[in-house]
Every structure is written in structure tokens, then in C-alpha cells.
Amino acid sequence: MKTTRMILTLLGAAALAVAGRATLVTLNTSSLTAGGTYYVDFQLNNGSGGAGNSAAISGFTFGGGGVFTPTDIGLIGGAAGDLSSTVWLNDSSPFNEFFQAFTAGSSLSFDLRLSNNVDAPIPDIFGFAILDENLFNLATLSPIADQFLIVELNGSSLDFQAYAGVDGVTSPGVPESAVTAGLVAVAMAGLVGIRHRMIRTSIAA
């Protein structure tokens, strides 16, 4: 009962924080193995320990693929939900991550809502990646951490930075993005070294 109350509190706070307009993110996944098992991976990394930012991701479509059955979900830090409804991330911990298995189709799309509170000097960072069946990131042209999408939450206009995959996955369709800020690399690099150890511990539990 206590755990249920904590999850409901987390979801309620996240819903209030990210009540703004959704951004549609669309990724062409036709170069992935059709019907192959991959993982959608979202992160919301806490830059400087404050801010209270949240993310809500919903409206998932898979272009002929779908959510993997039986459900295979990993939750780290302030993460909750699933791909069949809504995924919630809250920066309650330095590292917050959601990942869930899906079978690949021709595309992957979702609606993304983000709060945008200042956390100085290092901003909070949202990241979207796809993992292979062994829980390793598919390689991308991102300068750090093999992400398809990085969004810096700096209190001003949201900075969507989209990157293509190395093996043919095109960069996701999002609003026009600005040049990657140096602080983005700092925020992502500080946590990427521990992500796989944490993931394997979580998925085995």
C-alpha cells in the first residue's frame, strides 16, 4: 500500500509539472530487424540536484511492431509506467531511467511532454535511446551516450538535439534543434559509465 501511494504521488506530481503542449517524436525504424526485440530507453538525468523536472511520454505507435509480451520493463530512480499507456520520469534521483522491450516495425513514435525548470549550473537532461536485446545502446552519431534525442531543460526554449543511428536509423523528426551545448555532454557523461551495471541489476531482480 505504501509503495502504491508513493507511485501515485510521483505520477500526480509529474502530471502537474508537464501539463504543457506535447511534441510528437517520430523515428524511422525500418532498418532494424523486423520483429526483432529491442528496448525503448528514456532517461531524465538531474544536472545539479534541484529544479524538479519531469517527463511524460505517451501515444506510442510501432509501425507494425508492438510492446513485447511478456512485458519486460526496467525502472531506475523516479521512473514509472509502461509503453501501453504513459511513461513518467521525475528527476528525484541523479539518474532516472525507464526501458521496456518492444518488437520493431517500420517506425516508432510518441508524444513527449517536458517541464523546463532551471537547474544551474548544469541543466537537467532528457535522453531517448534504443537498446539491443543485450541492453546496449544502438550506436548513434550523438557526441556522447549514443542517444537518438537529447533535450536540455534550461528554463528557456527547449533544445531538441536529434541524431541518426550509425546503422541506418535516421534521426527522429522533432522541432528544429540548436547546436549541442557543452553542458549536455557533462550531464550525460557523468552517468553513462554506470548505466549498464544498474540496468543489469534491475532487469535481473
Side-chain angles (χ1 to χ4, degrees):
M1 180 67 71
K2 184 176 180 181
T3 300
T4 301
R5 285 199 300 269
M6 290 176 63
I7 292 174
L8 290 175
T9 299
L10 170 65
L11 297 182
L16 290 173
V18 297
R21 181 172 59 87
T23 295
L24 176 63
V25 179
T26 302
L27 187 69
N28 185 333
T29 56
S30 59
S31 65
L32 300 181
T33 302
T37 300
Y38 299 87
Y39 288 78
V40 172
D41 180 84
F42 299 115
Q43 298 179 42
L44 181 61
N45 297 338
N46 196 325
S48 298
N53 279 302
S54 299
I57 312 106
S58 60
F60 294 94
T61 62
F62 298 93
V67 178
F68 185 85
T69 303
T71 302
D72 190 356
I73 299 177
L75 304 172
I76 299 172
D82 65 80
L83 295 178
S84 64
S85 55
T86 301
V87 174
W88 304 93
L89 290 171
N90 185 288
D91 68 349
S92 56
S93 300
F95 185 86
N96 308 282
E97 182 174 24
F98 168 95
F99 57 97
Q100 182 174 352
F102 74 102
T103 54
S106 61
S107 63
L108 169 63
S109 66
F110 52 85
D111 293 321
L112 172 63
R113 288 180 171 85
L114 295 166
S115 64
N116 190 19
N117 301 313
V118 177
D119 191 8
I122 300 174
D124 292 349
I125 299 296
F126 173 84
F128 159 57
I130 295 178
L131 313 180
D132 65 19
E133 60 182 3
N134 297 311
L135 299 176
F136 288 99
N137 292 49
L138 298 186
T140 77
L141 299 178
S142 166
I144 191 87
D146 285 322
Q147 303 290 299
F148 284 102
L149 180 66
I150 298 174
V151 187
E152 178 180 328
L153 309 180
N154 56 25
S156 57
S157 59
L158 289 173
D159 178 15
F160 291 83
Q161 301 150 35
Y163 302 95
V166 171
D167 295 327
V169 180
T170 57
S171 60
V174 290
E176 290 187 7
S177 56
V179 177
T180 302
L183 289 176
V184 171
V186 172
M188 296 299 288
L191 295 167
V192 69
I194 63 172
R195 82 173 301 281
H196 292 301
R197 291 198 299 275
M198 295 180 70
I199 284 174
R200 289 200 174 94
T201 298
S202 175
I203 202 74

